[in-house]
Amino acid sequence: MTYTSTLPAVARSRGRWMRQLWRLPTGRFGIIVVACVALVALVSLFWTPYDPKTVDLAARWVLPSLQHPLGTDGTGRDILTLIMGGARTTMFVAIGSGIIASVVGIVLASLGALTPRWTRESMAVLIDILIAFPVLLIAMMISSVWGGSLWVVIWSVGIGFGVSIARVTRPELRRVLHSDFILAARASGLSDMQILWRHLLPNVAPVFIVQLSWSMAVAVLAEAGLSYLGYGASPTEPSWGVLLANLQAYIAIHPLAVVWPGLAITVTVLGLNLLGDALREATDPTLSRGRDPLHPPRASIRHVPEVIS
């Protein structure tokens, strides 16, 4: 028995929603912001204006100038250098937690979709229980036992949002699993793992990517918040949360210095959130076609549930 693979159709669909993503203003803004932060993080691996650990008491609280474009803090460290180092930490946490969330989400969603009924129902109950625990609270509890570090933040956020991804992806896997081409794939002798990798995951990839982008946005905010509270990066590591915590005591005297780390956190989180919204709009046929007067809205073949916060 032969069957027609859906991969070419999936590839064409992916090309369409990527073009649609760039046409959306929110999508362009999100792509540009994420690309700029990633570029700054990459550059900081090889070059920064000053050594982030160098203390120059003679240059304390210098106003923005050519020598120090964003000024200096109370120990004479260049704020631009610290912002660049913080971008590296932010991308490290976002990518690390995103990888862990992807693995956890795919494993839990697959177990909740492809296994026998009693296992599926047990996994659904387990996901509902795990999703009830706030990620930040779990990270603070783990940090109080093992000590604050970036790895604690990465694992806590990754596992927490992996459960959220599984909660949204599992129904989509179940929907695709009942399609005719999946029945044909089973009849041709493909195993469950082959069906998962060749057909199920490519068909739910847009939904998965949307949830992952939102999870990474919250991961950036979680890292900054935990580092601000002392549960994340150590004081010697460049982090926007640590920098904000160090500068807040001087906000009445040097308010401009506090603006830069807060602005970096805000713009990065906003860019990732808008990118997630644009991805949802670009991959949802109802939303994307509703914008085009030449193509009236039609029934959506994919429903993207709201993020479980």
Side-chain angles (χ1 to χ4, degrees), residues 91-172:
M91 292 303 298
F92 176 66
V93 171
I95 294 174
S97 61
I99 292 173
I100 295 174
S102 300
V103 174
V104 172
I106 290 175
V107 170
L108 292 179
S110 301
L111 291 176
L114 300 175
T115 52
R117 180 177 178 180
W118 68 271
T119 307
R120 294 199 309 266
E121 293 178 352
S122 300
M123 290 304 303
V125 173
L126 177 62
I127 290 172
D128 289 338
I129 293 174
L130 293 177
I131 207 171
F133 292 92
V135 176
L136 294 181
L137 180 60
I138 294 175
M140 293 172 66
M141 292 172 60
I142 295 176
S143 298
S144 64
V145 177
W146 299 100
S149 68
L150 289 179
W151 285 109
V152 169
V153 176
I154 290 173
W155 279 100
S156 302
V157 174
I159 294 174
F161 288 109
V163 175
S164 298
I165 290 175
R167 178 66 180 81
V168 175
T169 307
R170 176 181 170 274
E172 291 296 310

Side-chain angles (χ1 to χ4, degrees), residues 28 63 75 91 105 111 118 121 160 189 204 211 235 268 279 282 290 294 304:
R28 286 198 301 271
L63 294 177
T75 60
M91 292 303 298
L111 291 176
W118 68 271
E121 293 178 352
V204 301
Q211 303 303 319
T268 303
L279 280 169
L294 299 179
V304 184

Side-chain angles (χ1 to χ4, degrees), residues 131 161 164 168 210-211 214-215 218 280 304-309:
I131 207 171
F161 288 109
S164 298
V168 175
V210 170
Q211 303 303 319
W214 278 329
S215 298
V218 181
R280 181 181 184 275
V304 184
E306 295 297 329
V307 174
I308 306 297
S309 60

Side-chain angles (χ1 to χ4, degrees), residues 69-95:
L70 302 183
T72 62
D73 65 0
T75 60
R77 294 180 301 174
D78 182 63
I79 293 180
L80 177 60
T81 299
L82 298 177
I83 294 292
M84 293 178 66
R88 181 173 68 246
T89 301
T90 296
M91 292 303 298
F92 176 66
V93 171
I95 294 174

